[in-house]
Amino acid sequence: MVRERVRVLVHSADPLSAVGLAGVLRSRPEFAVLVPGYGMDGGMDGGMDGGTGVDDRGVDVVVLAADRLGTRELAVLRRVAATTGAPVVLVADGVEPSQLLAVVAQHVVAVLPRPAAAGRQLVQAVHAAANGAGVLSPLLLGELLKDLQRLQREVQIAHGLGTGDLSSREVEVLRLLAEGLDTSDIAGFLNYSERTVKNVIHVLTTRLNLRNRPHAVAYALRAGII
């Protein structure tokens, strides 16, 4: 049985950056890479690079690269997220802690500085995104958690949310996700199968209309659940 390849859309305003990122991913046989002919301004010619046989309506992961993350780039991120519905690996320098909630809300599950996207770290981030996981540096994760804790204090009473919205098992899985554990680590810690952990996460994200794991952690923190 031939294993289906992970379909990756590489999006960048800079053609050289797009080609470089695509080259890293094309060196791996498990990826089918699409580089459409449009930049960060949204101008599109529909071109396909590499003859991979995929299109932007059926991608599994988006890799979006930007020199900086300004208003214009955030608008493009929103548009790409809405168009593809796929998890996003963001490659950008200087991502501010105040921007993390905004990017997580747009399907971003991994943030890499540009120098780190030249090899193995990019491949690992795409694999993680394709498998429903995420990648944040300890610094960014810590800043995100602090920001969420601040929001928690501000909105908990107004939202009227509490642990009654989640089962004890769901709360425990969310706590471990917030600590940076992946599926296999959580399964080992709780003595569950990996399938059980994935099912717990799928059920709670579907029931609460959450986009992904970082969004679920954000919800739980803002609600004062964890």
Side-chain angles (χ1 to χ4, degrees), residues 94-118:
V95 177
E96 297 294 335
S98 60
Q99 297 173 314
L100 289 175
L101 286 177
V103 300
V104 166
Q106 301 305 324
H107 301 185
V108 171
V109 298
V111 178
L112 296 178
R114 293 175 69 88

Side-chain angles (χ1 to χ4, degrees), residues 117-169:
R120 186 174 62 180
Q121 286 181 309
L122 176 62
V123 172
Q124 291 173 337
V126 172
H127 274 302
N131 288 311
V135 178
L136 286 177
S137 69
L139 176 61
L140 285 180
L141 180 59
E143 293 292 344
L144 177 61
L145 292 176
K146 286 192 290 186
D147 200 28
L148 290 172
Q149 288 165 355
R150 177 184 58 79
L151 288 174
Q152 171 195 331
R153 293 191 294 269
E154 295 175 357
V155 304
Q156 184 175 2
I157 295 176
H159 282 244
L161 299 172
T163 56
D165 297 301
L166 300 173
S167 70
S168 58
R169 181 164 68 172

